[in-house]
Amino acid sequence: SRPESQRSKRQAALASEIASIHSDPDMKSYGSPRVHQELLARGFAVSENTVARLMRACGFRASSSRKFRVTTDSRH
């Protein structure tokens, strides 16, 4: 019955901003440090640990690119 607190409103706004950052194809590989830098550039004053906690809660993970693997053996 109580109204939503300022903290939960702020966290919801941050979570939606993190979701918009993570939905960008160029930024899907961003982890919490780079998402934190992007949020600072967009004008949000937030700590990196808060970003990491919100990313974990929302299920966002940095997607790493595949490592190069040599598939041809030229010494056969």
Side-chain angles (χ1 to χ4, degrees):
S1 65
R2 293 175 57 183
E4 191 176 8
S5 68
Q6 290 290 344
R7 180 180 178 182
S8 63
K9 286 180 188 177
R10 183 172 184 266
Q11 287 182 354
L14 283 172
S16 67
E17 194 68 27
I18 289 171
S20 71
I21 290 171
H22 198 72
S23 67
D24 186 7
D26 295 334
M27 299 181 189
K28 262 207 181 316
S29 63
Y30 281 15
S32 60
R34 289 171 82 179
V35 171
H36 173 248
Q37 290 298 320
E38 184 65 29
L39 285 172
L40 290 180
R42 293 184 183 193
F44 289 91
V46 62
S47 71
E48 188 177 329
N49 289 334
T50 302
V51 173
R53 182 176 47 78
L54 288 173
M55 284 181 71
R56 269 195 309 273
C58 294
F60 296 128
R61 295 184 58 121
S63 62
S64 59
S65 59
R66 288 188 143 202
K67 305 295 183 228
F68 177 76
R69 183 171 182 187
V70 177
T71 58
T72 305
D73 183 15
S74 61
R75 296 177 290 150
H76 52 277

PDB file of all heavy atoms in Angstrom, residues 20-47:
ATOM      1  N   SER A  20      18.706  -0.822 -22.422  1.00  0.00           N
ATOM      2  CA  SER A  20      18.839  -0.154 -23.722  1.00  0.00           C
ATOM      3  C   SER A  20      20.277  -0.193 -24.212  1.00  0.00           C
ATOM      4  O   SER A  20      20.528  -0.313 -25.409  1.00  0.00           O
ATOM      5  CB  SER A  20      18.333   1.282 -23.642  1.00  0.00           C
ATOM      6  OG  SER A  20      19.220   2.091 -22.894  1.00  0.00           O
ATOM      7  N   ILE A  21      21.235  -0.087 -23.297  1.00  0.00           N
ATOM      8  CA  ILE A  21      22.652  -0.193 -23.683  1.00  0.00           C
ATOM      9  C   ILE A  21      22.937  -1.605 -24.168  1.00  0.00           C
ATOM     10  O   ILE A  21      23.605  -1.810 -25.178  1.00  0.00           O
ATOM     11  CB  ILE A  21      23.562   0.185 -22.495  1.00  0.00           C
ATOM     12  CG1 ILE A  21      23.469   1.677 -22.204  1.00  0.00           C
ATOM     13  CG2 ILE A  21      25.010  -0.197 -22.771  1.00  0.00           C
ATOM     14  CD1 ILE A  21      24.163   2.102 -20.929  1.00  0.00           C
ATOM     15  N   HIS A  22      22.431  -2.589 -23.443  1.00  0.00           N
ATOM     16  CA  HIS A  22      22.721  -3.984 -23.774  1.00  0.00           C
ATOM     17  C   HIS A  22      22.013  -4.437 -25.048  1.00  0.00           C
ATOM     18  O   HIS A  22      22.460  -5.380 -25.701  1.00  0.00           O
ATOM     19  CB  HIS A  22      22.334  -4.888 -22.606  1.00  0.00           C
ATOM     20  CG  HIS A  22      22.965  -6.229 -22.652  1.00  0.00           C
ATOM     21  ND1 HIS A  22      24.302  -6.433 -22.392  1.00  0.00           N
ATOM     22  CD2 HIS A  22      22.462  -7.442 -22.936  1.00  0.00           C
ATOM     23  CE1 HIS A  22      24.569  -7.704 -22.519  1.00  0.00           C
ATOM     24  NE2 HIS A  22      23.478  -8.352 -22.850  1.00  0.00           N
ATOM     25  N   SER A  23      20.926  -3.765 -25.416  1.00  0.00           N
ATOM     26  CA  SER A  23      20.215  -4.160 -26.633  1.00  0.00           C
ATOM     27  C   SER A  23      20.914  -3.672 -27.894  1.00  0.00           C
ATOM     28  O   SER A  23      20.632  -4.183 -28.982  1.00  0.00           O
ATOM     29  CB  SER A  23      18.784  -3.633 -26.595  1.00  0.00           C
ATOM     30  OG  SER A  23      18.785  -2.218 -26.662  1.00  0.00           O
ATOM     31  N   ASP A  24      21.817  -2.702 -27.760  1.00  0.00           N
ATOM     32  CA  ASP A  24      22.580  -2.217 -28.906  1.00  0.00           C
ATOM     33  C   ASP A  24      23.549  -3.316 -29.348  1.00  0.00           C
ATOM     34  O   ASP A  24      24.312  -3.825 -28.535  1.00  0.00           O
ATOM     35  CB  ASP A  24      23.347  -0.957 -28.523  1.00  0.00           C
ATOM     36  CG  ASP A  24      24.048  -0.305 -29.695  1.00  0.00           C
ATOM     37  OD1 ASP A  24      23.842  -0.756 -30.834  1.00  0.00           O
ATOM     38  OD2 ASP A  24      24.794   0.662 -29.468  1.00  0.00           O
ATOM     39  N   PRO A  25      23.533  -3.705 -30.638  1.00  0.00           N
ATOM     40  CA  PRO A  25      24.398  -4.807 -31.078  1.00  0.00           C
ATOM     41  C   PRO A  25      25.892  -4.537 -30.870  1.00  0.00           C
ATOM     42  O   PRO A  25      26.656  -5.465 -30.614  1.00  0.00           O
ATOM     43  CB  PRO A  25      24.095  -4.938 -32.571  1.00  0.00           C
ATOM     44  CG  PRO A  25      22.783  -4.286 -32.770  1.00  0.00           C
ATOM     45  CD  PRO A  25      22.652  -3.246 -31.712  1.00  0.00           C
ATOM     46  N   ASP A  26      26.303  -3.275 -30.956  1.00  0.00           N
ATOM     47  CA  ASP A  26      27.718  -2.962 -30.758  1.00  0.00           C
ATOM     48  C   ASP A  26      28.126  -3.052 -29.297  1.00  0.00           C
ATOM     49  O   ASP A  26      29.309  -3.151 -28.986  1.00  0.00           O
ATOM     50  CB  ASP A  26      28.025  -1.549 -31.273  1.00  0.00           C
ATOM     51  CG  ASP A  26      27.841  -1.446 -32.777  1.00  0.00           C
ATOM     52  OD1 ASP A  26      27.970  -2.492 -33.456  1.00  0.00           O
ATOM     53  OD2 ASP A  26      27.568  -0.336 -33.267  1.00  0.00           O
ATOM     54  N   MET A  27      27.174  -3.007 -28.398  1.00  0.00           N
ATOM     55  CA  MET A  27      27.473  -2.974 -26.968  1.00  0.00           C
ATOM     56  C   MET A  27      27.067  -4.252 -26.248  1.00  0.00           C
ATOM     57  O   MET A  27      27.052  -4.291 -25.028  1.00  0.00           O
ATOM     58  CB  MET A  27      26.773  -1.776 -26.321  1.00  0.00           C
ATOM     59  CG  MET A  27      27.221  -0.460 -26.873  1.00  0.00           C
ATOM     60  SD  MET A  27      26.384   0.885 -26.044  1.00  0.00           S
ATOM     61  CE  MET A  27      26.887   2.266 -27.046  1.00  0.00           C
ATOM     62  N   LYS A  28      26.724  -5.297 -26.976  1.00  0.00           N
ATOM     63  CA  LYS A  28      26.341  -6.554 -26.323  1.00  0.00           C
ATOM     64  C   LYS A  28      27.504  -7.206 -25.590  1.00  0.00           C
ATOM     65  O   LYS A  28      27.305  -7.963 -24.654  1.00  0.00           O
ATOM     66  CB  LYS A  28      25.785  -7.524 -27.355  1.00  0.00           C
ATOM     67  CG  LYS A  28      24.285  -7.531 -27.392  1.00  0.00           C
ATOM     68  CD  LYS A  28      23.829  -8.874 -27.877  1.00  0.00           C
ATOM     69  CE  LYS A  28      22.359  -9.026 -27.991  1.00  0.00           C
ATOM     70  NZ  LYS A  28      21.564  -8.534 -26.944  1.00  0.00           N
ATOM     71  N   SER A  29      28.722  -6.885 -26.008  1.00  0.00           N
ATOM     72  CA  SER A  29      29.880  -7.493 -25.371  1.00  0.00           C
ATOM     73  C   SER A  29      30.356  -6.699 -24.161  1.00  0.00           C
ATOM     74  O   SER A  29      31.349  -7.051 -23.550  1.00  0.00           O
ATOM     75  CB  SER A  29      31.027  -7.608 -26.373  1.00  0.00           C
ATOM     76  OG  SER A  29      31.429  -6.324 -26.792  1.00  0.00           O
ATOM     77  N   TYR A  30      29.644  -5.625 -23.811  1.00  0.00           N
ATOM     78  CA  TYR A  30      30.054  -4.797 -22.689  1.00  0.00           C
ATOM     79  C   TYR A  30      29.751  -5.481 -21.362  1.00  0.00           C
ATOM     80  O   TYR A  30      28.659  -5.981 -21.142  1.00  0.00           O
ATOM     81  CB  TYR A  30      29.319  -3.457 -22.711  1.00  0.00           C
ATOM     82  CG  TYR A  30      29.849  -2.435 -23.675  1.00  0.00           C
ATOM     83  CD1 TYR A  30      30.727  -2.788 -24.697  1.00  0.00           C
ATOM     84  CD2 TYR A  30      29.481  -1.115 -23.578  1.00  0.00           C
ATOM     85  CE1 TYR A  30      31.203  -1.849 -25.585  1.00  0.00           C
ATOM     86  CE2 TYR A  30      29.961  -0.166 -24.458  1.00  0.00           C
ATOM     87  CZ  TYR A  30      30.815  -0.534 -25.454  1.00  0.00           C
ATOM     88  OH  TYR A  30      31.299   0.404 -26.324  1.00  0.00           O
ATOM     89  N   GLY A  31      30.733  -5.470 -20.483  1.00  0.00           N
ATOM     90  CA  GLY A  31      30.532  -5.914 -19.121  1.00  0.00           C
ATOM     91  C   GLY A  31      30.214  -4.718 -18.238  1.00  0.00           C
ATOM     92  O   GLY A  31      29.988  -3.601 -18.726  1.00  0.00           O
ATOM     93  N   SER A  32      30.228  -4.917 -16.937  1.00  0.00           N
ATOM     94  CA  SER A  32      29.849  -3.834 -16.039  1.00  0.00           C
ATOM     95  C   SER A  32      30.799  -2.632 -16.086  1.00  0.00           C
ATOM     96  O   SER A  32      30.324  -1.495 -15.980  1.00  0.00           O
ATOM     97  CB  SER A  32      29.702  -4.345 -14.610  1.00  0.00           C
ATOM     98  OG  SER A  32      30.899  -4.903 -14.140  1.00  0.00           O
ATOM     99  N   PRO A  33      32.119  -2.790 -16.278  1.00  0.00           N
ATOM    100  CA  PRO A  33      32.963  -1.591 -16.348  1.00  0.00           C
ATOM    101  C   PRO A  33      32.631  -0.696 -17.542  1.00  0.00           C
ATOM    102  O   PRO A  33      32.548   0.531 -17.406  1.00  0.00           O
ATOM    103  CB  PRO A  33      34.386  -2.150 -16.458  1.00  0.00           C
ATOM    104  CG  PRO A  33      34.320  -3.499 -15.879  1.00  0.00           C
ATOM    105  CD  PRO A  33      32.952  -4.012 -16.226  1.00  0.00           C
ATOM    106  N   ARG A  34      32.404  -1.306 -18.698  1.00  0.00           N
ATOM    107  CA  ARG A  34      32.116  -0.497 -19.880  1.00  0.00           C
ATOM    108  C   ARG A  34      30.692   0.040 -19.862  1.00  0.00           C
ATOM    109  O   ARG A  34      30.443   1.159 -20.325  1.00  0.00           O
ATOM    110  CB  ARG A  34      32.366  -1.321 -21.134  1.00  0.00           C
ATOM    111  CG  ARG A  34      33.867  -1.548 -21.351  1.00  0.00           C
ATOM    112  CD  ARG A  34      34.128  -2.531 -22.439  1.00  0.00           C
ATOM    113  NE  ARG A  34      34.053  -1.896 -23.739  1.00  0.00           N
ATOM    114  CZ  ARG A  34      34.273  -2.550 -24.874  1.00  0.00           C
ATOM    115  NH1 ARG A  34      34.565  -3.834 -24.857  1.00  0.00           N
ATOM    116  NH2 ARG A  34      34.194  -1.928 -26.023  1.00  0.00           N
ATOM    117  N   VAL A  35      29.753  -0.714 -19.306  1.00  0.00           N
ATOM    118  CA  VAL A  35      28.387  -0.200 -19.152  1.00  0.00           C
ATOM    119  C   VAL A  35      28.407   0.973 -18.170  1.00  0.00           C
ATOM    120  O   VAL A  35      27.718   1.980 -18.368  1.00  0.00           O
ATOM    121  CB  VAL A  35      27.420  -1.313 -18.688  1.00  0.00           C
ATOM    122  CG1 VAL A  35      26.067  -0.741 -18.312  1.00  0.00           C
ATOM    123  CG2 VAL A  35      27.268  -2.358 -19.772  1.00  0.00           C
ATOM    124  N   HIS A  36      29.219   0.861 -17.121  1.00  0.00           N
ATOM    125  CA  HIS A  36      29.363   1.947 -16.153  1.00  0.00           C
ATOM    126  C   HIS A  36      29.887   3.203 -16.838  1.00  0.00           C
ATOM    127  O   HIS A  36      29.356   4.305 -16.621  1.00  0.00           O
ATOM    128  CB  HIS A  36      30.299   1.502 -15.031  1.00  0.00           C
ATOM    129  CG  HIS A  36      30.647   2.587 -14.071  1.00  0.00           C
ATOM    130  ND1 HIS A  36      31.915   3.101 -13.973  1.00  0.00           N
ATOM    131  CD2 HIS A  36      29.886   3.272 -13.182  1.00  0.00           C
ATOM    132  CE1 HIS A  36      31.926   4.050 -13.060  1.00  0.00           C
ATOM    133  NE2 HIS A  36      30.706   4.171 -12.563  1.00  0.00           N
ATOM    134  N   GLN A  37      30.893   3.072 -17.689  1.00  0.00           N
ATOM    135  CA  GLN A  37      31.423   4.230 -18.410  1.00  0.00           C
ATOM    136  C   GLN A  37      30.373   4.829 -19.334  1.00  0.00           C
ATOM    137  O   GLN A  37      30.273   6.045 -19.465  1.00  0.00           O
ATOM    138  CB  GLN A  37      32.666   3.828 -19.214  1.00  0.00           C
ATOM    139  CG  GLN A  37      33.875   3.507 -18.365  1.00  0.00           C
ATOM    140  CD  GLN A  37      34.329   4.700 -17.554  1.00  0.00           C
ATOM    141  OE1 GLN A  37      34.326   5.825 -18.026  1.00  0.00           O
ATOM    142  NE2 GLN A  37      34.704   4.444 -16.307  1.00  0.00           N
ATOM    143  N   GLU A  38      29.582   3.984 -19.971  1.00  0.00           N
ATOM    144  CA  GLU A  38      28.528   4.468 -20.859  1.00  0.00           C
ATOM    145  C   GLU A  38      27.450   5.215 -20.071  1.00  0.00           C
ATOM    146  O   GLU A  38      26.942   6.251 -20.521  1.00  0.00           O
ATOM    147  CB  GLU A  38      27.914   3.299 -21.628  1.00  0.00           C
ATOM    148  CG  GLU A  38      26.884   3.675 -22.645  1.00  0.00           C
ATOM    149  CD  GLU A  38      27.428   4.500 -23.794  1.00  0.00           C
ATOM    150  OE1 GLU A  38      28.609   4.363 -24.149  1.00  0.00           O
ATOM    151  OE2 GLU A  38      26.637   5.306 -24.342  1.00  0.00           O
ATOM    152  N   LEU A  39      27.108   4.715 -18.888  1.00  0.00           N
ATOM    153  CA  LEU A  39      26.123   5.396 -18.056  1.00  0.00           C
ATOM    154  C   LEU A  39      26.643   6.750 -17.584  1.00  0.00           C
ATOM    155  O   LEU A  39      25.892   7.735 -17.534  1.00  0.00           O
ATOM    156  CB  LEU A  39      25.741   4.528 -16.854  1.00  0.00           C
ATOM    157  CG  LEU A  39      24.833   3.346 -17.147  1.00  0.00           C
ATOM    158  CD1 LEU A  39      24.704   2.462 -15.915  1.00  0.00           C
ATOM    159  CD2 LEU A  39      23.471   3.812 -17.600  1.00  0.00           C
ATOM    160  N   LEU A  40      27.931   6.815 -17.240  1.00  0.00           N
ATOM    161  CA  LEU A  40      28.515   8.097 -16.849  1.00  0.00           C
ATOM    162  C   LEU A  40      28.477   9.084 -18.009  1.00  0.00           C
ATOM    163  O   LEU A  40      28.193  10.273 -17.821  1.00  0.00           O
ATOM    164  CB  LEU A  40      29.962   7.911 -16.373  1.00  0.00           C
ATOM    165  CG  LEU A  40      30.171   7.198 -15.041  1.00  0.00           C
ATOM    166  CD1 LEU A  40      31.658   7.095 -14.727  1.00  0.00           C
ATOM    167  CD2 LEU A  40      29.439   7.908 -13.927  1.00  0.00           C
ATOM    168  N   ALA A  41      28.734   8.598 -19.217  1.00  0.00           N
ATOM    169  CA  ALA A  41      28.690   9.463 -20.391  1.00  0.00           C
ATOM    170  C   ALA A  41      27.270   9.956 -20.666  1.00  0.00           C
ATOM    171  O   ALA A  41      27.083  11.050 -21.210  1.00  0.00           O
ATOM    172  CB  ALA A  41      29.234   8.717 -21.607  1.00  0.00           C
ATOM    173  N   ARG A  42      26.277   9.161 -20.298  1.00  0.00           N
ATOM    174  CA  ARG A  42      24.882   9.563 -20.500  1.00  0.00           C
ATOM    175  C   ARG A  42      24.341  10.406 -19.352  1.00  0.00           C
ATOM    176  O   ARG A  42      23.178  10.782 -19.360  1.00  0.00           O
ATOM    177  CB  ARG A  42      23.997   8.328 -20.686  1.00  0.00           C
ATOM    178  CG  ARG A  42      24.283   7.579 -21.970  1.00  0.00           C
ATOM    179  CD  ARG A  42      23.332   6.441 -22.154  1.00  0.00           C
ATOM    180  NE  ARG A  42      23.658   5.687 -23.371  1.00  0.00           N
ATOM    181  CZ  ARG A  42      22.856   4.793 -23.902  1.00  0.00           C
ATOM    182  NH1 ARG A  42      21.696   4.526 -23.342  1.00  0.00           N
ATOM    183  NH2 ARG A  42      23.214   4.153 -24.996  1.00  0.00           N
ATOM    184  N   GLY A  43      25.168  10.667 -18.337  1.00  0.00           N
ATOM    185  CA  GLY A  43      24.762  11.568 -17.265  1.00  0.00           C
ATOM    186  C   GLY A  43      24.229  10.918 -16.014  1.00  0.00           C
ATOM    187  O   GLY A  43      23.650  11.599 -15.169  1.00  0.00           O
ATOM    188  N   PHE A  44      24.403   9.615 -15.844  1.00  0.00           N
ATOM    189  CA  PHE A  44      23.950   8.925 -14.644  1.00  0.00           C
ATOM    190  C   PHE A  44      25.117   8.827 -13.658  1.00  0.00           C
ATOM    191  O   PHE A  44      26.204   8.378 -14.022  1.00  0.00           O
ATOM    192  CB  PHE A  44      23.457   7.513 -14.964  1.00  0.00           C
ATOM    193  CG  PHE A  44      22.152   7.490 -15.701  1.00  0.00           C
ATOM    194  CD1 PHE A  44      22.121   7.485 -17.086  1.00  0.00           C
ATOM    195  CD2 PHE A  44      20.954   7.483 -15.009  1.00  0.00           C
ATOM    196  CE1 PHE A  44      20.928   7.465 -17.765  1.00  0.00           C
ATOM    197  CE2 PHE A  44      19.748   7.460 -15.688  1.00  0.00           C
ATOM    198  CZ  PHE A  44      19.735   7.454 -17.070  1.00  0.00           C
ATOM    199  N   ALA A  45      24.891   9.233 -12.420  1.00  0.00           N
ATOM    200  CA  ALA A  45      25.903   9.108 -11.373  1.00  0.00           C
ATOM    201  C   ALA A  45      25.639   7.800 -10.637  1.00  0.00           C
ATOM    202  O   ALA A  45      24.707   7.702  -9.834  1.00  0.00           O
ATOM    203  CB  ALA A  45      25.830  10.283 -10.419  1.00  0.00           C
ATOM    204  N   VAL A  46      26.439   6.791 -10.945  1.00  0.00           N
ATOM    205  CA  VAL A  46      26.212   5.459 -10.382  1.00  0.00           C
ATOM    206  C   VAL A  46      27.565   4.769 -10.231  1.00  0.00           C
ATOM    207  O   VAL A  46      28.509   5.059 -10.972  1.00  0.00           O
ATOM    208  CB  VAL A  46      25.261   4.646 -11.296  1.00  0.00           C
ATOM    209  CG1 VAL A  46      25.847   4.428 -12.653  1.00  0.00           C
ATOM    210  CG2 VAL A  46      24.855   3.342 -10.670  1.00  0.00           C
ATOM    211  N   SER A  47      27.680   3.886  -9.255  1.00  0.00           N
ATOM    212  CA  SER A  47      28.930   3.171  -9.055  1.00  0.00           C
ATOM    213  C   SER A  47      28.972   1.910  -9.911  1.00  0.00           C
ATOM    214  O   SER A  47      27.935   1.399 -10.354  1.00  0.00           O
ATOM    215  CB  SER A  47      29.111   2.791  -7.578  1.00  0.00           C
ATOM    216  OG  SER A  47      28.202   1.773  -7.222  1.00  0.00           O
TER     217      SER A  47
END
